[in-house]
Each structure stands twice: as structure tokens, then as C-alpha cells.
Amino acid sequence: MKSKAVQDYYPDDVAHCYGCGKLNEHGNQIKTFWEGDETVSRFIPKEYHTAIPGYVYGGLIASLIDCHGTGTAALAAYRVEGREIDTLPPFRFVTASLQVDYLKPTPLGVELEIRGKIVEIKGRKVISEITLSANGEVTAKGKVVAVQMPEDMVKR
Amino acid sequence: MKSKAVQDYYPDDVAHCYGCGKLNEHGNQIKTFWEGDETVSRFIPKEYHTAIPGYVYGGLIASLIDCHGTGTAALAAYRVEGREIDTLPPFRFVTASLQVDYLKPTPLGVELEIRGKIVEIKGRKVISEITLSANGEVTAKGKVVAVQMPEDMVKR
């Protein structure tokens, strides 16, 4: 049985993120899974997600790294507590800072693989290092500092 | 007469960027202008550009800062040469690295103002510091290292 993505368990009132919310029909709806001690998301850009023709738009790459970072943080938080992602209370992180280094142009038209490694977990903060690859070659790398969402951010 | 944006003069074969290309009908089409020694872009997010409901998606903020950085770099390159943006040869930059710090949630539903200051110009590289504001309050800041696009990136 294929494991479910952490985003599948974001509560409905915080599942509208353009990057990874299951309830945002216009968005990218990325899904983030564990693979051993790394996290992985995969995404096929649309034809219009272009920078210079033939290459993926850097803003999309930043967005994928961003949401992969918050998804990774949520996965890590469950694992620290020894809980499955379908147990309550749910974890939901937002980004405090994002660093992206564009190493080489990312070709458009293939599936991108985004992989994360957790480098620090401290209190409500999770820091991850992330790579983005196309055709097996890393074209961008990033670092995301994610913090657990303040409860008062949700307008209920 | 309102001055034209630098993106209006990107050559057609490099004007498809999802973030700022005038020829990308799906994209954000941001426009970047000089205002004194600062550069400015303005953008109204769509309703679906949401993170947590009520707030702007961080990936969009990263994208706006990214494209504002490359636009700022192009404006700076013309100014260094003492040329107007409608003169040839054109300048077109890509992003080498992007740093974004999310200072507070950015409210959805208002125009965002993105402002840039050039901090270094060295050879083909332009570094700018950028703020993003909503309702006159800075909610995110960033730093973009932009490099002039390699000629061989364009598939002609």
C-alpha cells in the first residue's frame, strides 16, 4: 500500500496553500513522503512554468522547495513524537526563511524530484536542507527554516 | 507620461518567464520601475494565492522577490552604462541565489509593494536587497544575486 503524504492530513482549515494544499484547485498540490530518513516530493511543471524557454521558472523552484520544507518539518515533528501522520493533534508549519541556490538551469518537461534532509529540530523549529533534481541531476539546492504555525494564525 | 517597465523591453525570445514575462498569459507579469535610486514593482495576489486562509502564499512572495531582483539587476545594468532601457543590446538576468525572510504573515486582498536597493554590481553580477510590503508594513525581505544570462541559454 502506498503511504499517504503528510499534506493529506493537514486539517481542512489549513489545507488551502497554493503550493501544497489539497483544497486549492489552482495550486500545485505537492505531496511529501518519507523515504527512509529523507523526505521526497515529485512534481511535473506545466508548460507555462517557464523561465527562459526550455527551463523551469525559478519562482516555481523556490515554491517547491518552500512547501517541501514545511511538509518535511511536519513529517519530522510526528516522527519525533513517535506518532503516525494520521494521529491528532496535527502538525502544520510555516516558513520563517528560505534560501535557494540555482546551480544550473532546470529543464522543463520532466518530473522534478525534491528531497529533504533534516538538519536541526529545536522546539517549534525544524531546519531542512533540500535538493531539487531533474533527470537525476541536482539543479538547485535550498535550506528551509520552518516553524510550527502559531495557533492564532488560523481564522476560525 | 508613465515610464515603461524594464520587462516591457525584454526581447520576445526571453519574455516568457512565469513571473515577469509579458508573453506568459498564465503568469504574474510583474513590472519593475525606477523610483529614484530604488526599484519598485506592485502586485495584487489572486484569491487562490493563499497560504493559511487570509494570508499570501510564501512561494508567491519568493517568486515576486525573485523576479523583482532580476528586473532590478537589468535596470541597474542599463544605468551603469548610461543607457535607456529601450536601447540595444538588451540586458536579461537570471537568479543565482535567493534568500527570503518571512517577518510576519502577509495579508491577502491588498496590493503588495516590492522595493529593491542595489547593494553590489560586479561584472555580470548584481546583488539587490528587497522588501515586500502590505498596507505600508514590511512583511518579508530578501536578497537576490542575479547574473547576466549566458548567451547559450537561449534556444534560437
Side-chain angles (χ1 to χ4, degrees), chain A residues 13 16-19 24 48 50 52-53 55 57 59 63 66 95-102 149 153, chain B residues 13 16-19 24 48 50-53 55 57 59 63 66 95-102 149 153:
Chain A
D13 56 359
H16 295 82
C17 173
Y18 185 82
N24 191 324
Y48 53 75
T50 184
I52 307 300
Y55 301 109
Y57 168 49
S63 302
D66 180 3
T95 307
S97 83
L98 168 70
Q99 165 71 39
V100 181
D101 293 311
Y102 299 93
M149 197 183 70
M153 260 192 93
Chain B
D13 55 1
H16 294 82
C17 173
Y18 185 82
N24 192 325
Y48 52 75
T50 184
I52 307 300
Y55 301 108
Y57 168 49
S63 301
D66 181 2
T95 307
S97 82
L98 168 69
Q99 166 72 40
V100 180
D101 292 311
Y102 299 92
M149 197 184 70
M153 259 191 92

mmCIF file of all heavy atoms in Angstrom, chain A residues 13 16-19 24 48 50 52-53 55 57 59 63 66 95-102 149 153, chain B residues 13 16-19 24 48 50-53 55 57 59 63 66 95-102 149 153:
data_model
loop_
_atom_site.group_PDB
_atom_site.id
_atom_site.type_symbol
_atom_site.label_atom_id
_atom_site.label_comp_id
_atom_site.label_asym_id
_atom_site.label_seq_id
_atom_site.Cartn_x
_atom_site.Cartn_y
_atom_site.Cartn_z
ATOM 1 N N ASP A 13 -9.021 23.363 7.486
ATOM 2 C CA ASP A 13 -8.965 24.832 7.589
ATOM 3 C C ASP A 13 -7.555 25.385 7.356
ATOM 4 O O ASP A 13 -7.377 26.597 7.303
ATOM 5 C CB ASP A 13 -9.557 25.336 8.916
ATOM 6 C CG ASP A 13 -8.904 24.732 10.136
ATOM 7 O OD1 ASP A 13 -7.989 23.905 9.962
ATOM 8 O OD2 ASP A 13 -9.300 25.082 11.253
ATOM 9 N N HIS A 16 -5.329 24.987 2.303
ATOM 10 C CA HIS A 16 -5.581 25.775 1.099
ATOM 11 C C HIS A 16 -4.315 26.343 0.481
ATOM 12 O O HIS A 16 -4.375 27.124 -0.462
ATOM 13 C CB HIS A 16 -6.543 26.931 1.409
ATOM 14 C CG HIS A 16 -7.905 26.469 1.801
ATOM 15 N ND1 HIS A 16 -8.201 26.054 3.081
ATOM 16 C CD2 HIS A 16 -9.038 26.322 1.076
ATOM 17 C CE1 HIS A 16 -9.481 25.689 3.135
ATOM 18 N NE2 HIS A 16 -10.002 25.832 1.941
ATOM 19 N N CYS A 17 -3.162 25.963 1.008
ATOM 20 C CA CYS A 17 -1.916 26.529 0.492
ATOM 21 C C CYS A 17 -1.793 26.297 -1.017
ATOM 22 O O CYS A 17 -1.990 25.181 -1.492
ATOM 23 C CB CYS A 17 -0.720 25.881 1.208
ATOM 24 S SG CYS A 17 0.872 26.341 0.510
ATOM 25 N N TYR A 18 -1.439 27.354 -1.729
ATOM 26 C CA TYR A 18 -1.277 27.267 -3.179
ATOM 27 C C TYR A 18 -0.231 26.218 -3.556
ATOM 28 O O TYR A 18 -0.319 25.573 -4.589
ATOM 29 C CB TYR A 18 -0.855 28.633 -3.730
ATOM 30 C CG TYR A 18 -0.766 28.690 -5.227
ATOM 31 C CD1 TYR A 18 -1.908 28.894 -6.000
ATOM 32 C CD2 TYR A 18 0.454 28.554 -5.882
ATOM 33 C CE1 TYR A 18 -1.835 28.958 -7.383
ATOM 34 C CE2 TYR A 18 0.537 28.614 -7.263
ATOM 35 C CZ TYR A 18 -0.621 28.812 -8.005
ATOM 36 O OH TYR A 18 -0.543 28.867 -9.375
ATOM 37 N N GLY A 19 0.750 26.047 -2.712
ATOM 38 C CA GLY A 19 1.828 25.117 -3.032
ATOM 39 C C GLY A 19 1.486 23.671 -2.729
ATOM 40 O O GLY A 19 1.836 22.768 -3.490
ATOM 41 N N ASN A 24 -6.727 23.434 -2.640
ATOM 42 C CA ASN A 24 -6.523 24.547 -3.568
ATOM 43 C C ASN A 24 -6.481 24.019 -4.998
ATOM 44 O O ASN A 24 -5.459 23.506 -5.461
ATOM 45 C CB ASN A 24 -5.229 25.299 -3.239
ATOM 46 C CG ASN A 24 -5.130 26.618 -3.998
ATOM 47 O OD1 ASN A 24 -5.564 26.719 -5.147
ATOM 48 N ND2 ASN A 24 -4.592 27.636 -3.350
ATOM 49 N N TYR A 48 3.667 26.220 -18.998
ATOM 50 C CA TYR A 48 3.784 27.662 -18.781
ATOM 51 C C TYR A 48 4.634 28.022 -17.570
ATOM 52 O O TYR A 48 4.871 29.198 -17.310
ATOM 53 C CB TYR A 48 2.396 28.315 -18.682
ATOM 54 C CG TYR A 48 1.460 27.690 -17.674
ATOM 55 C CD1 TYR A 48 1.625 27.905 -16.304
ATOM 56 C CD2 TYR A 48 0.405 26.883 -18.088
ATOM 57 C CE1 TYR A 48 0.760 27.327 -15.384
ATOM 58 C CE2 TYR A 48 -0.461 26.304 -17.173
ATOM 59 C CZ TYR A 48 -0.287 26.533 -15.832
ATOM 60 O OH TYR A 48 -1.143 25.971 -14.925
ATOM 61 N N THR A 50 7.576 28.391 -17.171
ATOM 62 C CA THR A 50 8.847 28.575 -17.851
ATOM 63 C C THR A 50 9.582 29.816 -17.350
ATOM 64 O O THR A 50 8.972 30.759 -16.845
ATOM 65 C CB THR A 50 8.613 28.681 -19.377
ATOM 66 O OG1 THR A 50 9.855 28.772 -20.036
ATOM 67 C CG2 THR A 50 7.795 29.899 -19.727
ATOM 68 N N ILE A 52 13.379 31.209 -18.932
ATOM 69 C CA ILE A 52 13.818 31.263 -20.320
ATOM 70 C C ILE A 52 13.223 30.016 -20.984
ATOM 71 O O ILE A 52 13.188 28.956 -20.360
ATOM 72 C CB ILE A 52 15.371 31.192 -20.368
ATOM 73 C CG1 ILE A 52 15.993 32.249 -19.459
ATOM 74 C CG2 ILE A 52 15.877 31.270 -21.797
ATOM 75 C CD1 ILE A 52 15.633 33.672 -19.801
ATOM 76 N N PRO A 53 12.728 30.111 -22.232
ATOM 77 C CA PRO A 53 12.112 28.939 -22.849
ATOM 78 C C PRO A 53 12.972 27.676 -22.726
ATOM 79 O O PRO A 53 14.170 27.700 -22.978
ATOM 80 C CB PRO A 53 11.930 29.376 -24.312
ATOM 81 C CG PRO A 53 11.684 30.856 -24.198
ATOM 82 C CD PRO A 53 12.604 31.307 -23.091
ATOM 83 N N TYR A 55 13.327 26.028 -19.838
ATOM 84 C CA TYR A 55 13.780 25.859 -18.462
ATOM 85 C C TYR A 55 12.686 26.247 -17.472
ATOM 86 O O TYR A 55 11.849 27.102 -17.752
ATOM 87 C CB TYR A 55 15.035 26.699 -18.207
ATOM 88 C CG TYR A 55 16.166 26.326 -19.130
ATOM 89 C CD1 TYR A 55 16.560 27.180 -20.150
ATOM 90 C CD2 TYR A 55 16.815 25.105 -19.007
ATOM 91 C CE1 TYR A 55 17.588 26.826 -21.024
ATOM 92 C CE2 TYR A 55 17.839 24.738 -19.866
ATOM 93 C CZ TYR A 55 18.222 25.607 -20.868
ATOM 94 O OH TYR A 55 19.228 25.247 -21.728
ATOM 95 N N TYR A 57 10.891 27.921 -14.374
ATOM 96 C CA TYR A 57 10.841 29.203 -13.673
ATOM 97 C C TYR A 57 11.393 29.077 -12.250
ATOM 98 O O TYR A 57 10.955 28.233 -11.467
ATOM 99 C CB TYR A 57 9.374 29.634 -13.661
ATOM 100 C CG TYR A 57 9.023 30.767 -12.771
ATOM 101 C CD1 TYR A 57 9.761 31.940 -12.796
ATOM 102 C CD2 TYR A 57 7.935 30.686 -11.908
ATOM 103 C CE1 TYR A 57 9.413 32.997 -11.973
ATOM 104 C CE2 TYR A 57 7.575 31.739 -11.100
ATOM 105 C CZ TYR A 57 8.323 32.895 -11.140
ATOM 106 O OH TYR A 57 7.989 33.933 -10.330
ATOM 107 N N GLY A 59 10.964 30.876 -9.669
ATOM 108 C CA GLY A 59 9.985 31.096 -8.611
ATOM 109 C C GLY A 59 9.241 29.807 -8.264
ATOM 110 O O GLY A 59 8.901 29.559 -7.105
ATOM 111 N N SER A 63 9.223 27.830 -4.775
ATOM 112 C CA SER A 63 7.949 27.415 -4.171
ATOM 113 C C SER A 63 7.962 25.935 -3.799
ATOM 114 O O SER A 63 7.477 25.552 -2.730
ATOM 115 C CB SER A 63 6.798 27.655 -5.153
ATOM 116 O OG SER A 63 6.733 29.008 -5.521
ATOM 117 N N ASP A 66 10.131 25.494 -0.815
ATOM 118 C CA ASP A 66 9.428 26.057 0.334
ATOM 119 C C ASP A 66 8.418 25.052 0.911
ATOM 120 O O ASP A 66 8.487 24.664 2.091
ATOM 121 C CB ASP A 66 8.740 27.353 -0.122
ATOM 122 C CG ASP A 66 7.972 28.049 0.975
ATOM 123 O OD1 ASP A 66 7.990 27.592 2.125
ATOM 124 O OD2 ASP A 66 7.347 29.088 0.672
ATOM 125 N N THR A 95 6.861 28.877 6.872
ATOM 126 C CA THR A 95 8.271 29.135 6.587
ATOM 127 C C THR A 95 8.730 30.424 7.249
ATOM 128 O O THR A 95 8.090 31.460 7.098
ATOM 129 C CB THR A 95 8.481 29.236 5.070
ATOM 130 O OG1 THR A 95 7.927 28.069 4.472
ATOM 131 C CG2 THR A 95 9.958 29.335 4.714
ATOM 132 N N ALA A 96 9.837 30.331 7.972
ATOM 133 C CA ALA A 96 10.445 31.539 8.531
ATOM 134 C C ALA A 96 11.492 32.090 7.578
ATOM 135 O O ALA A 96 11.595 33.292 7.376
ATOM 136 C CB ALA A 96 11.088 31.225 9.885
ATOM 137 N N SER A 97 12.287 31.211 6.998
ATOM 138 C CA SER A 97 13.222 31.688 5.972
ATOM 139 C C SER A 97 13.528 30.592 4.970
ATOM 140 O O SER A 97 13.393 29.392 5.253
ATOM 141 C CB SER A 97 14.497 32.247 6.599
ATOM 142 O OG SER A 97 15.400 31.218 6.891
ATOM 143 N N LEU A 98 13.893 31.055 3.803
ATOM 144 C CA LEU A 98 14.071 30.201 2.631
ATOM 145 C C LEU A 98 15.311 30.666 1.891
ATOM 146 O O LEU A 98 15.465 31.862 1.624
ATOM 147 C CB LEU A 98 12.841 30.368 1.721
ATOM 148 C CG LEU A 98 12.895 29.811 0.302
ATOM 149 C CD1 LEU A 98 12.884 28.282 0.338
ATOM 150 C CD2 LEU A 98 11.691 30.310 -0.500
ATOM 151 N N GLN A 99 16.204 29.716 1.615
ATOM 152 C CA GLN A 99 17.405 30.031 0.817
ATOM 153 C C GLN A 99 17.421 29.080 -0.364
ATOM 154 O O GLN A 99 17.249 27.871 -0.188
ATOM 155 C CB GLN A 99 18.664 29.835 1.679
ATOM 156 C CG GLN A 99 19.974 29.775 0.917
ATOM 157 C CD GLN A 99 20.382 31.127 0.356
ATOM 158 O OE1 GLN A 99 20.199 32.151 1.017
ATOM 159 N NE2 GLN A 99 20.911 31.157 -0.853
ATOM 160 N N VAL A 100 17.594 29.622 -1.558
ATOM 161 C CA VAL A 100 17.671 28.776 -2.750
ATOM 162 C C VAL A 100 18.908 29.155 -3.562
ATOM 163 O O VAL A 100 19.121 30.334 -3.847
ATOM 164 C CB VAL A 100 16.419 28.929 -3.649
ATOM 165 C CG1 VAL A 100 16.521 28.026 -4.869
ATOM 166 C CG2 VAL A 100 15.152 28.615 -2.872
ATOM 167 N N ASP A 101 19.712 28.157 -3.903
ATOM 168 C CA ASP A 101 20.833 28.371 -4.816
ATOM 169 C C ASP A 101 20.528 27.641 -6.120
ATOM 170 O O ASP A 101 20.283 26.430 -6.114
ATOM 171 C CB ASP A 101 22.143 27.829 -4.218
ATOM 172 C CG ASP A 101 22.575 28.631 -3.009
ATOM 173 O OD1 ASP A 101 22.598 29.871 -3.106
ATOM 174 O OD2 ASP A 101 22.861 28.029 -1.959
ATOM 175 N N TYR A 102 20.528 28.402 -7.188
ATOM 176 C CA TYR A 102 20.257 27.832 -8.505
ATOM 177 C C TYR A 102 21.598 27.421 -9.107
ATOM 178 O O TYR A 102 22.422 28.276 -9.428
ATOM 179 C CB TYR A 102 19.541 28.858 -9.381
ATOM 180 C CG TYR A 102 18.199 29.269 -8.798
ATOM 181 C CD1 TYR A 102 18.084 30.387 -7.962
ATOM 182 C CD2 TYR A 102 17.046 28.536 -9.056
ATOM 183 C CE1 TYR A 102 16.862 30.745 -7.403
ATOM 184 C CE2 TYR A 102 15.827 28.887 -8.505
ATOM 185 C CZ TYR A 102 15.742 29.994 -7.683
ATOM 186 O OH TYR A 102 14.534 30.351 -7.137
ATOM 187 N N MET A 149 3.155 26.519 13.076
ATOM 188 C CA MET A 149 2.244 27.641 12.879
ATOM 189 C C MET A 149 1.662 28.124 14.202
ATOM 190 O O MET A 149 1.171 27.312 14.991
ATOM 191 C CB MET A 149 1.106 27.167 11.984
ATOM 192 C CG MET A 149 0.306 28.243 11.355
ATOM 193 S SD MET A 149 -1.044 27.502 10.425
ATOM 194 C CE MET A 149 -2.056 26.908 11.766
ATOM 195 N N MET A 153 -2.888 32.163 13.980
ATOM 196 C CA MET A 153 -2.890 32.474 12.538
ATOM 197 C C MET A 153 -4.158 31.962 11.851
ATOM 198 O O MET A 153 -4.516 32.436 10.795
ATOM 199 C CB MET A 153 -1.687 31.809 11.856
ATOM 200 C CG MET A 153 -0.529 32.749 11.602
ATOM 201 S SD MET A 153 0.701 31.982 10.493
ATOM 202 C CE MET A 153 0.147 32.559 8.875
ATOM 203 N N ASP B 13 12.144 36.590 -27.286
ATOM 204 C CA ASP B 13 12.542 35.189 -27.076
ATOM 205 C C ASP B 13 12.967 34.903 -25.638
ATOM 206 O O ASP B 13 13.229 33.756 -25.291
ATOM 207 C CB ASP B 13 13.625 34.749 -28.081
ATOM 208 C CG ASP B 13 14.842 35.644 -28.073
ATOM 209 O OD1 ASP B 13 14.874 36.614 -27.273
ATOM 210 O OD2 ASP B 13 15.770 35.390 -28.854
ATOM 211 N N HIS B 16 9.122 35.050 -21.665
ATOM 212 C CA HIS B 16 8.090 34.073 -21.315
ATOM 213 C C HIS B 16 8.102 33.684 -19.846
ATOM 214 O O HIS B 16 7.381 32.772 -19.435
ATOM 215 C CB HIS B 16 8.265 32.799 -22.153
ATOM 216 C CG HIS B 16 8.024 33.027 -23.608
ATOM 217 N ND1 HIS B 16 8.990 33.542 -24.439
ATOM 218 C CD2 HIS B 16 6.923 32.853 -24.370
ATOM 219 C CE1 HIS B 16 8.490 33.645 -25.664
ATOM 220 N NE2 HIS B 16 7.247 33.244 -25.650
ATOM 221 N N CYS B 17 8.920 34.349 -19.064
ATOM 222 C CA CYS B 17 9.032 33.986 -17.643
ATOM 223 C C CYS B 17 7.665 34.033 -16.965
ATOM 224 O O CYS B 17 6.924 35.008 -17.100
ATOM 225 C CB CYS B 17 9.995 34.944 -16.939
ATOM 226 S SG CYS B 17 10.057 34.706 -15.147
ATOM 227 N N TYR B 18 7.362 32.970 -16.216
ATOM 228 C CA TYR B 18 6.075 32.905 -15.500
ATOM 229 C C TYR B 18 5.920 34.083 -14.541
ATOM 230 O O TYR B 18 4.822 34.558 -14.300
ATOM 231 C CB TYR B 18 6.006 31.590 -14.723
ATOM 232 C CG TYR B 18 4.690 31.351 -14.043
ATOM 233 C CD1 TYR B 18 3.608 30.832 -14.743
ATOM 234 C CD2 TYR B 18 4.523 31.645 -12.690
ATOM 235 C CE1 TYR B 18 2.394 30.610 -14.121
ATOM 236 C CE2 TYR B 18 3.303 31.425 -12.060
ATOM 237 C CZ TYR B 18 2.246 30.908 -12.787
ATOM 238 O OH TYR B 18 1.043 30.698 -12.156
ATOM 239 N N GLY B 19 7.000 34.543 -14.005
ATOM 240 C CA GLY B 19 6.921 35.633 -13.039
ATOM 241 C C GLY B 19 6.787 37.003 -13.665
ATOM 242 O O GLY B 19 6.060 37.862 -13.163
ATOM 243 N N ASN B 24 3.796 35.626 -21.196
ATOM 244 C CA ASN B 24 3.254 34.456 -20.489
ATOM 245 C C ASN B 24 1.874 34.789 -19.936
ATOM 246 O O ASN B 24 1.727 35.428 -18.890
ATOM 247 C CB ASN B 24 4.183 34.021 -19.343
ATOM 248 C CG ASN B 24 3.795 32.656 -18.782
ATOM 249 O OD1 ASN B 24 2.619 32.316 -18.717
ATOM 250 N ND2 ASN B 24 4.790 31.882 -18.389
ATOM 251 N N TYR B 48 -6.664 32.832 -4.883
ATOM 252 C CA TYR B 48 -6.142 31.474 -4.666
ATOM 253 C C TYR B 48 -4.657 31.451 -4.324
ATOM 254 O O TYR B 48 -4.097 30.392 -4.077
ATOM 255 C CB TYR B 48 -6.426 30.582 -5.878
ATOM 256 C CG TYR B 48 -5.976 31.143 -7.219
ATOM 257 C CD1 TYR B 48 -4.635 31.158 -7.579
ATOM 258 C CD2 TYR B 48 -6.907 31.648 -8.121
ATOM 259 C CE1 TYR B 48 -4.241 31.657 -8.813
ATOM 260 C CE2 TYR B 48 -6.518 32.163 -9.348
ATOM 261 C CZ TYR B 48 -5.185 32.160 -9.690
ATOM 262 O OH TYR B 48 -4.786 32.659 -10.899
ATOM 263 N N THR B 50 -3.128 31.731 -1.772
ATOM 264 C CA THR B 50 -3.237 31.719 -0.321
ATOM 265 C C THR B 50 -2.269 30.718 0.318
ATOM 266 O O THR B 50 -1.860 29.748 -0.307
ATOM 267 C CB THR B 50 -4.689 31.368 0.083
ATOM 268 O OG1 THR B 50 -4.813 31.446 1.485
ATOM 269 C CG2 THR B 50 -5.065 29.971 -0.375
ATOM 270 N N ALA B 51 -1.919 31.004 1.536
ATOM 271 C CA ALA B 51 -1.154 30.053 2.356
ATOM 272 C C ALA B 51 -2.169 29.501 3.348
ATOM 273 O O ALA B 51 -3.057 28.744 2.986
ATOM 274 C CB ALA B 51 -0.005 30.771 3.058
ATOM 275 N N ILE B 52 -2.048 29.932 4.597
ATOM 276 C CA ILE B 52 -3.135 29.780 5.546
ATOM 277 C C ILE B 52 -4.208 30.776 5.095
ATOM 278 O O ILE B 52 -3.876 31.883 4.666
ATOM 279 C CB ILE B 52 -2.627 30.165 6.962
ATOM 280 C CG1 ILE B 52 -1.363 29.369 7.308
ATOM 281 C CG2 ILE B 52 -3.715 29.990 8.009
ATOM 282 C CD1 ILE B 52 -1.516 27.881 7.318
ATOM 283 N N PRO B 53 -5.488 30.417 5.151
ATOM 284 C CA PRO B 53 -6.522 31.346 4.671
ATOM 285 C C PRO B 53 -6.346 32.762 5.231
ATOM 286 O O PRO B 53 -6.134 32.930 6.434
ATOM 287 C CB PRO B 53 -7.819 30.693 5.149
ATOM 288 C CG PRO B 53 -7.516 29.221 5.100
ATOM 289 C CD PRO B 53 -6.076 29.114 5.535
ATOM 290 N N TYR B 55 -3.912 34.822 4.209
ATOM 291 C CA TYR B 55 -2.525 35.257 4.051
ATOM 292 C C TYR B 55 -1.954 34.784 2.725
ATOM 293 O O TYR B 55 -2.356 33.754 2.187
ATOM 294 C CB TYR B 55 -1.675 34.723 5.203
ATOM 295 C CG TYR B 55 -2.167 35.177 6.552
ATOM 296 C CD1 TYR B 55 -2.795 34.303 7.419
ATOM 297 C CD2 TYR B 55 -2.044 36.513 6.927
ATOM 298 C CE1 TYR B 55 -3.268 34.724 8.649
ATOM 299 C CE2 TYR B 55 -2.522 36.951 8.148
ATOM 300 C CZ TYR B 55 -3.134 36.060 9.014
ATOM 301 O OH TYR B 55 -3.612 36.484 10.221
ATOM 302 N N TYR B 57 0.521 33.222 0.071
ATOM 303 C CA TYR B 57 1.395 32.051 -0.082
ATOM 304 C C TYR B 57 2.870 32.477 -0.170
ATOM 305 O O TYR B 57 3.243 33.320 -0.988
ATOM 306 C CB TYR B 57 0.959 31.352 -1.370
ATOM 307 C CG TYR B 57 1.868 30.300 -1.892
ATOM 308 C CD1 TYR B 57 2.344 29.294 -1.065
ATOM 309 C CD2 TYR B 57 2.225 30.281 -3.232
ATOM 310 C CE1 TYR B 57 3.163 28.300 -1.566
ATOM 311 C CE2 TYR B 57 3.032 29.294 -3.741
ATOM 312 C CZ TYR B 57 3.505 28.318 -2.904
ATOM 313 O OH TYR B 57 4.322 27.338 -3.400
ATOM 314 N N GLY B 59 5.426 30.980 -1.333
ATOM 315 C CA GLY B 59 6.077 30.726 -2.626
ATOM 316 C C GLY B 59 5.844 31.866 -3.597
ATOM 317 O O GLY B 59 6.720 32.204 -4.405
ATOM 318 N N SER B 63 8.615 34.247 -5.263
ATOM 319 C CA SER B 63 8.614 34.479 -6.709
ATOM 320 C C SER B 63 8.667 35.969 -7.037
ATOM 321 O O SER B 63 9.382 36.390 -7.951
ATOM 322 C CB SER B 63 7.345 33.893 -7.336
ATOM 323 O OG SER B 63 7.252 32.521 -7.088
ATOM 324 N N ASP B 66 12.077 37.210 -6.311
ATOM 325 C CA ASP B 66 12.978 36.683 -7.336
ATOM 326 C C ASP B 66 12.927 37.545 -8.607
ATOM 327 O O ASP B 66 13.945 38.094 -9.060
ATOM 328 C CB ASP B 66 12.553 35.229 -7.620
ATOM 329 C CG ASP B 66 13.410 34.532 -8.659
ATOM 330 O OD1 ASP B 66 14.370 35.134 -9.165
ATOM 331 O OD2 ASP B 66 13.117 33.360 -8.965
ATOM 332 N N THR B 95 18.525 34.302 -11.901
ATOM 333 C CA THR B 95 18.837 34.295 -10.473
ATOM 334 C C THR B 95 19.872 33.220 -10.148
ATOM 335 O O THR B 95 19.707 32.060 -10.529
ATOM 336 C CB THR B 95 17.558 34.021 -9.658
ATOM 337 O OG1 THR B 95 16.578 34.964 -10.076
ATOM 338 C CG2 THR B 95 17.815 34.181 -8.163
ATOM 339 N N ALA B 96 20.905 33.607 -9.433
ATOM 340 C CA ALA B 96 21.892 32.635 -8.953
ATOM 341 C C ALA B 96 21.522 32.176 -7.551
ATOM 342 O O ALA B 96 21.623 30.999 -7.229
ATOM 343 C CB ALA B 96 23.289 33.251 -8.953
ATOM 344 N N SER B 97 21.105 33.126 -6.705
ATOM 345 C CA SER B 97 20.625 32.710 -5.393
ATOM 346 C C SER B 97 19.601 33.696 -4.850
ATOM 347 O O SER B 97 19.568 34.869 -5.231
ATOM 348 C CB SER B 97 21.775 32.505 -4.406
ATOM 349 O OG SER B 97 22.181 33.718 -3.853
ATOM 350 N N LEU B 98 18.772 33.161 -4.003
ATOM 351 C CA LEU B 98 17.602 33.876 -3.486
ATOM 352 C C LEU B 98 17.486 33.578 -2.005
ATOM 353 O O LEU B 98 17.535 32.415 -1.597
ATOM 354 C CB LEU B 98 16.357 33.346 -4.215
ATOM 355 C CG LEU B 98 14.978 33.712 -3.674
ATOM 356 C CD1 LEU B 98 14.709 35.197 -3.883
ATOM 357 C CD2 LEU B 98 13.898 32.892 -4.397
ATOM 358 N N GLN B 99 17.369 34.623 -1.209
ATOM 359 C CA GLN B 99 17.149 34.459 0.233
ATOM 360 C C GLN B 99 15.885 35.225 0.594
ATOM 361 O O GLN B 99 15.741 36.389 0.194
ATOM 362 C CB GLN B 99 18.351 35.028 1.001
ATOM 363 C CG GLN B 99 18.126 35.242 2.487
ATOM 364 C CD GLN B 99 18.062 33.924 3.264
ATOM 365 O OE1 GLN B 99 18.815 33.008 2.986
ATOM 366 N NE2 GLN B 99 17.158 33.835 4.224
ATOM 367 N N VAL B 100 14.987 34.582 1.293
ATOM 368 C CA VAL B 100 13.760 35.265 1.723
ATOM 369 C C VAL B 100 13.562 35.041 3.214
ATOM 370 O O VAL B 100 13.608 33.900 3.684
ATOM 371 C CB VAL B 100 12.517 34.739 0.967
ATOM 372 C CG1 VAL B 100 11.262 35.475 1.429
ATOM 373 C CG2 VAL B 100 12.687 34.902 -0.536
ATOM 374 N N ASP B 101 13.346 36.120 3.947
ATOM 375 C CA ASP B 101 12.973 36.023 5.363
ATOM 376 C C ASP B 101 11.530 36.491 5.505
ATOM 377 O O ASP B 101 11.200 37.624 5.129
ATOM 378 C CB ASP B 101 13.897 36.893 6.230
ATOM 379 C CG ASP B 101 15.312 36.356 6.249
ATOM 380 O OD1 ASP B 101 15.481 35.145 6.476
ATOM 381 O OD2 ASP B 101 16.248 37.131 5.995
ATOM 382 N N TYR B 102 10.722 35.615 6.041
ATOM 383 C CA TYR B 102 9.305 35.941 6.252
ATOM 384 C C TYR B 102 9.176 36.528 7.654
ATOM 385 O O TYR B 102 9.345 35.816 8.651
ATOM 386 C CB TYR B 102 8.449 34.684 6.087
ATOM 387 C CG TYR B 102 8.571 34.091 4.694
ATOM 388 C CD1 TYR B 102 9.507 33.107 4.412
ATOM 389 C CD2 TYR B 102 7.763 34.543 3.657
ATOM 390 C CE1 TYR B 102 9.627 32.568 3.126
ATOM 391 C CE2 TYR B 102 7.875 34.017 2.378
ATOM 392 C CZ TYR B 102 8.807 33.030 2.126
ATOM 393 O OH TYR B 102 8.932 32.502 0.859
ATOM 394 N N MET B 149 22.313 36.678 -18.053
ATOM 395 C CA MET B 149 22.025 35.379 -18.658
ATOM 396 C C MET B 149 23.110 34.964 -19.632
ATOM 397 O O MET B 149 23.492 35.754 -20.496
ATOM 398 C CB MET B 149 20.693 35.493 -19.400
ATOM 399 C CG MET B 149 20.046 34.204 -19.733
ATOM 400 S SD MET B 149 18.558 34.533 -20.696
ATOM 401 C CE MET B 149 19.316 35.104 -22.219
ATOM 402 N N MET B 153 22.055 30.125 -23.164
ATOM 403 C CA MET B 153 20.815 29.635 -22.553
ATOM 404 C C MET B 153 19.633 29.778 -23.498
ATOM 405 O O MET B 153 18.617 29.103 -23.343
ATOM 406 C CB MET B 153 20.494 30.425 -21.277
ATOM 407 C CG MET B 153 20.866 29.698 -20.003
ATOM 408 S SD MET B 153 20.188 30.529 -18.540
ATOM 409 C CE MET B 153 18.612 29.678 -18.322
#
